[in-house]
Amino acid sequence: MPHTPAAPDLAHTRTRPVHWAATAVALAAVVTAAALVQPERASGTPTMGAPAAPAAPSPAAPASAPDPAGVAFPLTCPGVGQLVTATAQGDLDGDGRPETVVAVRCDAASGTPPHAVYVLTADPAPGGPPRVVATLLESGLRKSVTDLAIRDHTVTATLLGYSSPAVPRSAPDLHQRSKWRWTGGKFSQELTDSAAKRV
């Protein structure tokens, strides 16, 4: 009579070499897949899909004041040229662009020809010459100009004159302080002295 074992035959549950090989292959596949789905490392370089931050705009170059060189001023000087004796630059009308104020007289060989004072602005056409847009002082007033300046949107100057025709033109004996300010679309003049004074 054949012998019947007390426990069932477990031969089919024994591990064979082929089972170990299959398990190793499956495990390797899982590890490889996990490595492929690792989150992307953080870096300072934006990815292709991320929009780059806009570059900060460079500051605009400041506008330059008009250069009076070569400007033909509305001053009549028969037989002689024009001479610019003083300039001042500043924004007079508050538009952010500087103007140039110019004191000009005839370039005479002797005496002291009277001054005229003009305001120049840049030509709106690129590369165009400066333009005379205002006359602050007419040469017919027979004044000489010193201390020309621009402060707080205001033109200031000292006006020299003569108390009589006998006073030599080279030695003015009267002076006034004058201010010109852009108000209501035009320049208004203010004389800081109520009358001319002897110097």
Side-chain angles (χ1 to χ4, degrees):
M1 181 174 183
H3 174 71
T4 302
D9 187 3
L10 298 179
H12 65 283
T13 63
R14 291 176 185 168
T15 303
R16 297 179 182 176
V18 69
H19 290 147
W20 285 112
T23 301
V25 170
L27 183 60
V30 170
V31 171
T32 301
L36 292 176
V37 297
Q38 286 294 321
E40 188 176 313
R41 291 183 178 179
S43 68
T45 304
T47 60
M48 291 296 292
S58 58
S64 57
D67 184 355
V71 174
F73 297 99
L75 176 64
T76 302
C77 298
V80 295
Q82 299 176 346
L83 179 65
V84 174
T85 61
T87 63
Q89 293 80 29
D91 182 7
L92 296 175
D93 55 5
D95 66 352
R97 294 174 295 182
E99 286 78 34
T100 299
V101 179
V102 185
V104 186
R105 64 175 177 81
C106 294
D107 192 11
S110 61
T112 306
H115 279 101
V117 178
Y118 303 106
V119 179
L120 300 178
T121 63
D123 194 287
R131 299 179 300 142
V132 176
V133 294
T135 300
L136 302 184
L137 182 71
E138 295 278 2
S139 63
L141 295 177
R142 312 291 303 172
K143 303 288 186 180
S144 295
V145 175
T146 63
D147 307 322
L148 185 66
I150 295 177
R151 297 183 185 91
D152 300 326
H153 307 289
T154 302
V155 181
T156 61
T158 299
L159 307 182
L160 306 179
Y162 311 91
S163 59
S164 75
V167 177
R169 301 297 94 178
S170 60
D173 63 341
L174 302 177
H175 79 279
Q176 283 182 300
R177 288 292 294 168
S178 182
K179 294 181 179 181
W180 294 270
R181 182 182 289 273
W182 180 258
T183 306
K186 63 180 181 180
F187 284 100
S188 60
Q189 183 182 22
E190 173 191 346
L191 294 173
T192 57
D193 299 329
S194 59
K197 297 180 179 179
R198 293 181 183 275
V199 294

